[in-house]
Amino acid sequence: MVADAIPVRRPVARRVLSLRARRGLVAWGFALPFVALFAAFMAGPVVASLAMSFTDLRGTDLRNPLGVNFVGLDNYVRLFGDEVFVQSLMNTAVFVLGSVPLTIVSALAVALALNRGITRLRTFFRVGYYLPVVTSIVAVAVVWRFLLQPDTGVVNSLLRTVGIAGPHWLDDPLFAMPSIIIMTAWRGMGFMMVVFLAGLQAIPRDVYEAAEIDGASRWAQFRFVTLPMLRPTMLFAVVITSIGQLQFIEEPFVMTRGGPLNKTLSVSMDVYSQFGFGNYGYASAMSYVLFVVIVALTVVWFRLLRPR
Amino acid sequence: MTVTPRPAPTARGLLYVVLSIGLVGFAGPFVWMVLSAFKPEGELRRVPTTWLPENVTLDNFRTIFTGLDFPTYFTNSVIVAAAVTLGNLALCSMLGYALAKIEFPGRRVLFLLVIGTLMIPSMVTFVPQFVLVAQFGLVNTYPGLVLPILALAGPLGVFLMRQYISELPDELIDSARIDGAGELQIFLRIIVPLAKPALATLTIVTFLGAWNNFLIPLVMAQTEDKYTLPVALALYSVGQNSTKFGLLMAGAVVVVLPVLLIFVVLQRYFVQGIAMTGFK
Amino acid sequence: MVSGRWRAVVGALTIFAAVGCGRDAGTSGGEGAKPVGEGAATGEITVWAMGTEGEKLGGLAQDFEAANPGAKVNITAIPWDAAHDKISTAIAGRQTPDVSLVGTTYMAEFAKSGALDPTPSVIDGKQFYTGAWDTTVVNGTSYGVPWYVETRLLYYRTDLADKAGVQPPGNWADLTDFAKGMKDKSGAKWGLNLQAGGKGTWQTFMPFAWQAGASITDDAKKFTLDSPEMVKALQYYKSFFDAQVTPSSLLRPGELEQGFVDGSFGAFFSGPWHIGLIKEQGGAALDGKWSVARMPKEANRTSFVGGGDLAVFKDAKNRDTAWKFVQYLSKPEVQVKWYGMVGDLPSVKNAWQDTKLSGDPLLKTFGEQLDDAKSPPAIATWEQVATVIDTHLEQVVKGVATPADAAKAMQSEATSIGTGL
């Protein structure tokens, strides 16, 4: 009996073990292309750029990069004494605080409207609201400048009809950033709209029906059915939008060049300028400070919107 | 499939009106872009800008299709974008499945690596990456154009696929495993068909990024026969002291058409696809 | 007679030295320069050129190949957009071509990195306009040659000037009167357009600084931004904004040309490319109603000179032919032919004797101005220092800082940035 039992068990045990081992091997096999690509094209550059941030490498050292001076945390310390960088960091913080909620809220609103609100022409509207994502930034800039023109622009003309004297939107240090915030939210909304449209589709109808039977108003349904079930999608949307918008560069570059008086200068613009000046070590340090901010915000979102 | 409660007809009508007014604001610049592609240079410099062209001209498009080597640039763009997109589809879905559904050592670290890479500002690795590609001897080759873009697109795609696949029911996969199916079989026979929506999503996002990428082809191509459309259009439109806006707009229209085509064709899956993303 | 001739020679040398005064009168054949072989060019070279220059250079390359059978010139046109990135990364990855067109303000950075080959002594720097030649000289050695130049003049509406009863300005006081007159008496909204801030403002401002006798660096390559002359120039620049004869916010693209054509702008400073732009925008209706004039005089009438330089790379595979091609492009007749092909003004003085240039009244003025035009110092950190100047100019114009404070701030910031040499 014992002699019978053992042979039966051992082969099974061996099969299970090797199955797991085999599965692990296959998993790494699946991971191999990404890992190979990463190892070949990302690992080296990431390490090199991080190392660069601890040196004073400049454009003039490009042919002899290994001969540069190691300066430790010098670049990082200098950054926080750099008025322009600190300004760009504050600008970026203000921007993200304004733009991320605006992008997400408007994307959700439009998605809701295109989901439950209307039945016809859905494709038409979806494409239409997605267009800012694919419109050339030059065209976007021309039209927005046309709208925000202090004297003849549409926005100020409308304000004038209700008796308000509109400001010089892009030239006024106070109003330039809000203009950029609205424009960037307008531009980024399309992609997130589609993300939410999908997320909304996934909520099963029975939950709504149950709520309606219980007498919940449409607003209550939104608060207690839609929003909670949308949580995971919300996490993805907020994280991706934050990562993207923390690195915003195109909109301020084209509309205001970071002005007036550096009030719309973003960290990415400062990084870009520094790379342009050939201050590779300094620019790398700046990039990694931005990286830390990105990580911090991402962690915050994961904590806040962790699925229950 | 899913129906959410609908508002009353009058409210719905109002919604259509509001949406249509909003649409004007959203589609406006795109419409201006298309109209401007047909304007002569002088008119485009007018301030305030015009909407309908006063003098319709096909010159800008003529320059693009006959004045420069359009077939070469278009082909290069197609090769690069297609290779990156197909490569990314394979790569991200495989790793996405592994991260979502296979227990294996190092799984967590790998996922953190993916997310970590996503968060690194791309400007900082640009020059070291070029030096590396040069050392591999891949400058001015198609792999040299494709692989760096693929490395850039990978992390977002893996995140997307992993979130989506983790929503698929475990039972399906477990029963297949008990039946003795290998992981590759499970992946190809079960996962891929079910993940079609996410794959469509990934296709659009990857294609958009690869098709429009300017800096990598600019730096990797040493001879004009390897230029992609964005590089060629920048060459012909942007001067040292002035820009040809008409050409720039016409170029933008030509470049956006394939992207929109793919969006329209795939968008029905697209919507369903990201439904599952972020679910964990 | 002998003494007379001797005096003339000394006089000539003094004038030459005066023109090159305060600048590195650097030479070709400097440290590290190797000679170029005799005879015709052979083998292949790769040449990079941006934009239109890149598109059209093939025409001249063919002539060169015809004159040098056995030589082949491969031209790659690269976009102006991100050209600096392209060349920098090429240097980093050791993927540079034999020859490239390089913006004048990038020469020092690339030269200092060791990427450029010093100009061989067979090429004489004196054939080029001094200001242009100086853009190739880094630490006393020349790296490359100026290919084409541009300089800035005052564009103005002659009919509006007549109406206002003002003449093209001779000196600074005249310019002030000119601008005010244009605004008050000719119906123009703005008498003059000066850049109010943002990237490149220094190009509009520096001529005034040079005219006042200020300079960015001295012979020892130390910054001299905090000088009484600089403060004077800043004050003068600001005075136009205070008097509201020039707009204090940035113009939109196209606004200036349109404004000049419809008469809302009376005058502005710019380079030769605006000739074409105004003709295109104004058409035949504007013919005869506008012209260009030289810079106004304070201590001198200096203007800004820019353009493009040709550089040969250290890693060039065929150095000999590369320099021979550069020499070819510097021949006066080839420079004139190039002007005909793309409209780039020649950097070689003798080329201007051709009637295509000397016979055109507008171009003639550009040629005259080129004799007194300066470029910013050839330092590796110029782009960054230029941004400092732009920032403080904007503050002065907006009244946020006084000229004296701005000059001090510019000096201290520039000094901490250093020259990178």
Side-chain angles (χ1 to χ4, degrees), chain B residues 46-47 130 218 221 224 227 240, chain C residues 76-77 86 89 95 148 258:
Chain B
R46 207 93 66 75
V47 165
F130 177 75
L218 170 76
E224 286 171 62
Y227 281 2
Q240 193 178 11
Chain C
T76 303
K86 171 95 183 163
T89 50
Q95 301 286 321
Y148 60 88
Q258 195 178 305

Side-chain angles (χ1 to χ4, degrees), chain C residues 52 62 75 147 155 174 192 197 232 266 316 328 384 398:
Chain C
T52 323
Q62 276 173 359
I75 303 191
W147 187 14
Y155 284 72
D174 292 339
L192 176 67
K232 181 155 66 138
Y328 177 76
Q384 197 165 359
K398 284 198 155 69

Side-chain angles (χ1 to χ4, degrees), chain B residues 54-256:
Chain B
E54 281 169 22
N55 295 306
V56 175
T57 172
L58 289 176
D59 278 347
N60 297 323
F61 288 103
R62 212 172 281 140
T63 311
I64 292 180
F65 291 115
T66 61
L68 40 102
D69 190 3
F70 183 78
T72 305
Y73 306 134
F74 184 76
T75 310
N76 288 335
S77 275
V78 169
I79 292 176
V80 171
V84 171
T85 306
L86 292 172
N88 215 31
L89 282 174
L91 190 150
C92 298
S93 54
M94 287 205 294
L95 181 54
Y97 168 58
L99 287 175
K101 292 296 184 192
I102 306 180
E103 299 274 340
F104 65 98
R107 178 201 210 187
R108 239 186 145 223
V109 170
L110 204 48
F111 182 59
L112 281 174
L113 188 70
V114 170
I115 299 290
T117 318
L118 197 54
M119 294 191 281
I120 295 181
S122 56
M123 262 192 276
V124 78
T125 49
F126 193 68
V127 175
Q129 197 179 60
F130 177 75
V131 176
L132 194 63
V133 171
Q135 284 179 349
F136 287 157
L138 292 178
V139 172
N140 212 38
T141 62
Y142 284 113
L145 287 169
V146 168
L147 294 172
I149 302 181
L150 193 55
L152 204 59
L156 180 73
V158 173
F159 190 24
L160 191 75
M161 295 309 296
R162 177 206 183 250
Q163 299 296 78
Y164 181 83
I165 293 173
S166 60
E167 263 311 294
L168 299 176
D170 286 334
E171 301 82 62
L172 264 172
I173 298 166
D174 289 340
S175 58
R177 283 190 185 140
I178 289 172
D179 284 347
E183 293 302 321
L184 191 61
Q185 266 184 306
I186 296 176
F187 172 71
L188 289 172
R189 296 255 171 85
I190 301 177
I191 303 295
V192 170
L194 284 177
K196 273 208 213 100
L199 290 172
T201 303
L202 188 57
T203 305
I204 294 176
V205 175
T206 311
F207 185 84
L208 181 65
W211 183 258
N212 284 343
N213 196 306
F214 172 72
L215 277 178
I216 290 178
L218 170 76
V219 155
M220 297 296 171
Q222 303 282 76
T223 53
E224 286 171 62
D225 61 357
K226 290 280 187 311
Y227 281 2
T228 56
L229 270 178
V231 177
L233 289 169
L235 170 61
Y236 286 91
S237 331
V238 179
Q240 193 178 11
N241 291 301
S242 58
T243 306
K244 300 197 182 101
F245 285 103
L247 197 55
L248 200 63
M249 290 300 101
V253 170
V254 168
V255 164
V256 93

